[in-house]
């Protein structure tokens, strides 16, 4: 019986050392020290022993039980510690791992150009005005000396919500609005989106942006217009920039002109950017037509003014050497992130 006890102890210790699951531990506890376990059945069989053997085996059996129980406790503690370590490892936070970078946006090239133009004109005393993109036909055309059936309405066809409401085709509509609410002397620019029925290509879009400019005061003439726009061009494109005015026609200005700047890439010699011309057109302008002043309740005998309309996309393409206007509207961040 003594040998049997030693064999049980040896086996129990081996099995307990190998156990790695709490469930297995419980199985072993039941198998060795449980009510129907091996040790219990040995103790139960003690009655068949001689009176001399009984206390010796009894003492040994108790010793074995104590050892197995100690081993059980040890294995339970070992498992608990392991489990604790696993839990901690799972919860570990490595504070030295770099954070997920948050992408910072950049300003759209059109915004950059608009701000620069605004800065230049506000430094000359112009204020910045705004007007609606859904506009009355009256402000977009009639008040600008372009009555119904005027051919200029054809070249600026647009989306009509009703007979007299449309998507504005030019920021010039804001001139007309501004003159209704402000008395001369006045000096304003108005940046904004405009719409025209046009097919999309590298230099055209049915949606684009202009900056309108308007001055009305006493004794304003073509020379003031040329002075201000020359100054603007040199501030925007560089001090060596020259300008050239070509006669043109707009219903709301008389005389009217388109203005070119000397090509800042080749200095006027002719290159790919200016298509060999040496000059690049950037705006339309002119002396405000007396009819336009009259429509706004301003006496053309006392006051006169000039107006101009700059294409923002055109300036952005030139300034940043972008060769396709569609890039400005596709919102591809790989393109947009090149500007800031
Ligand atoms: N509104 C004109 C256009 O869109 C530009 C312009 C503005 C011309 C002001 C003269 C004066 O073509």
């Amino acid at each position: 019986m003594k040998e049997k006890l030693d064999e049980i102890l040896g086996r129990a210790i081996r099995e307990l050392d190998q156990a790695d699951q709490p469930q297995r531990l419980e199985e072993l506890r039941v198998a060795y020290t449980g009510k129907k376990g091996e040790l219990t059945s040995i103790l139960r069989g003690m009655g068949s022993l001689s009176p001399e053997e009984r206390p010796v085996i009894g003492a040994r059996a108790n010793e074995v039980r104590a050892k197995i129980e100690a081993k059980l406790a040890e294995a339970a503690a070992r498992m608990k510690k392991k489990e604790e370590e696993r839990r901690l490892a799972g919860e570990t936070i490595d504070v030295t791992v770099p954070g997920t970078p948050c992408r910072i946006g950049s300003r759209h090239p059109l915004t950059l150009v608009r701000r620069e133009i605004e800065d230049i004109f506000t430094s000359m005393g112009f204020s910045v005005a705004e007007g609606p993109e859904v506009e009355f036909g009256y402000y977009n055309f009639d008040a600008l000396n372009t009555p119904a059936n005027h051919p200029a309405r054809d070249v600026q066809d647009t989306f009509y919500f009703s007979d007299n409401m449309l998507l504005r085709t030019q920021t010039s509509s804001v001139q007309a609005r501004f003159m209704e609410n402000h008395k001369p002397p006045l000096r304003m620019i108005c940046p904004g989106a405009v719409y025209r029925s046009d097919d999309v290509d590298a230099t055209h879009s049915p949606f684009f942006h202009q900056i309108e400019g308007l001055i009305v005061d006493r004794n304003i003439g073509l020379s003031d217009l040329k002075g201000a726009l020359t100054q603007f061009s040199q501030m925007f494109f560089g001090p060596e920039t020259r300008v050239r005015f070509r006669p043109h026609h707009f219903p709301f200005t008389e005389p009217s002109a388109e203005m070119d700047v000397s090509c800042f890439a080749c200095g006027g010699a002719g290159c790919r950017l200016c298509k060999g011309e040496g000059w690049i057109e950037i705006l339309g302008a002119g002396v405000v037509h007396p009819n336009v002043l009259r429509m706004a309740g301003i006496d053309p005998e006392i006051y006169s003014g000039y107006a101009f309309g700059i294409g923002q996309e055109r300036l952005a393409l030139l300034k940043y050497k972008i060769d396709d206007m569609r890039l400005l509207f596709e919102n591809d961040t790989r393109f947009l992130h090149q500007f800031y």
Side-chain angles (χ1 to χ4, degrees):
M1 223 162 208
K2 169 122 176 7
E3 293 74 44
K4 179 70 179 157
L5 279 171
D6 287 345
E7 188 268 326
I8 290 175
L9 179 59
R11 182 153 44 85
I13 286 177
R14 231 180 305 121
E15 288 183 339
L16 281 168
D17 275 341
Q18 282 166 8
D20 59 354
Q21 294 290 328
Q23 197 194 332
R24 174 76 181 136
L25 207 59
E26 179 60 13
E27 277 168 23
L28 294 173
R29 191 189 63 75
V30 172
Y32 288 107
T33 63
K35 272 190 199 128
K36 291 178 187 153
E38 291 193 50
L39 268 180
T40 320
S41 63
I42 284 191
L43 289 169
R44 269 203 201 108
M46 294 265 285
S48 63
L49 294 176
S50 64
E52 302 80 55
E53 265 185 321
R54 213 173 289 159
V56 180
I57 296 296
R60 182 60 187 157
N62 282 333
E63 224 178 273
V64 167
R65 167 183 281 276
K67 279 192 176 156
I68 291 178
E69 277 171 353
K71 198 69 195 172
L72 272 163
E74 185 196 305
R78 187 183 72 228
M79 256 167 234
K80 201 172 158 206
K81 193 165 161 234
K82 236 184 168 167
E83 174 56 28
E84 182 91 351
E85 276 166 5
R86 196 175 23 241
R87 196 171 55 79
L88 284 179
E91 284 176 4
T92 304
I93 296 171
D94 182 354
V95 292
T96 65
V97 170
T100 315
C102 129
R103 271 185 87 107
I104 297 175
S106 51
R107 292 211 173 93
H108 194 282
L110 281 176
T111 305
L112 293 172
V113 162
R114 192 198 73 222
R115 289 194 180 191
E116 190 173 344
I117 300 173
E118 284 175 358
D119 281 351
I120 294 174
F121 282 107
T122 50
S123 80
M124 296 184 198
F126 287 73
S127 56
V128 181
E130 277 188 353
E133 289 172 32
V134 175
E135 184 55 285
F136 290 113
Y138 175 78
Y139 292 112
N140 196 83
F141 290 126
D142 301 79
L144 295 170
N145 204 29
T146 317
N149 306 322
H150 191 290
R153 289 203 181 203
D154 273 351
V155 287
Q156 294 195 10
D157 195 16
T158 181
F159 185 86
Y160 283 78
F161 297 92
S162 65
D163 280 352
N164 66 356
M165 203 176 260
L166 44 78
L167 285 176
R168 71 178 174 196
T169 63
Q170 49 190 353
T171 44
S172 304
S173 55
V174 186
Q175 280 190 40
R177 285 177 171 274
F178 199 85
M179 281 189 283
E180 271 188 358
N181 301 325
H182 297 79
K183 292 277 147 266
L186 49 91
R187 204 182 277 219
M188 71 90 173
I189 56 168
C190 165
V194 300
Y195 305 80
R196 289 183 198 178
S197 169
D198 220 338
D199 289 332
V200 175
D201 68 22
T203 53
H204 293 88
S205 162
F207 162 78
F208 59 103
H209 298 77
Q210 294 185 323
I211 290 200
E212 190 77 8
L214 173 73
I215 279 200
V216 179
D217 203 344
R218 290 169 196 265
N219 300 317
I220 297 288
L222 197 60
S223 56
D224 300 291
L225 166 76
K226 288 178 91 168
L229 293 179
T230 304
Q231 168 106 41
F232 160 74
S233 305
Q234 290 174 345
M235 287 172 85
F236 190 86
F237 289 112
E240 61 298 325
T241 309
R242 288 165 291 126
V243 301
R244 165 175 100 168
F245 287 79
R246 282 176 291 100
H248 198 73
H249 171 262
F250 296 106
F252 36 89
T253 47
E254 180 59 35
S256 303
E258 279 186 336
M259 191 188 90
D260 303 334
V261 289
S262 54
C263 177
F264 51 86
C266 63
C271 68
R272 232 170 56 115
L273 187 73
C274 59
K275 301 196 178 74
E277 294 279 318
W279 296 96
I280 297 168
E281 183 213 320
I282 62 162
L283 57 83
V287 173
V288 181
H289 196 291
N291 284 352
V292 174
L293 294 176
R294 232 175 261 127
M295 295 274 282
I298 296 173
D299 185 351
E301 300 298 327
I302 305 174
Y303 293 105
S304 56
Y306 66 77
F308 56 88
I310 305 174
Q312 285 186 50
E313 278 77 3
R314 172 57 70 88
L315 293 205
L317 298 191
L318 292 172
K319 180 131 198 160
Y320 299 113
K321 303 196 167 51
I322 301 166
D323 59 9
D324 195 324
M325 187 161 148
R326 287 167 287 202
L327 289 165
L328 295 175
F329 302 124
E330 281 167 358
N331 288 335
D332 184 333
T333 50
R334 289 168 304 180
F335 169 75
L336 294 176
H337 273 293
Q338 298 173 56
F339 308 92
Y340 39 84

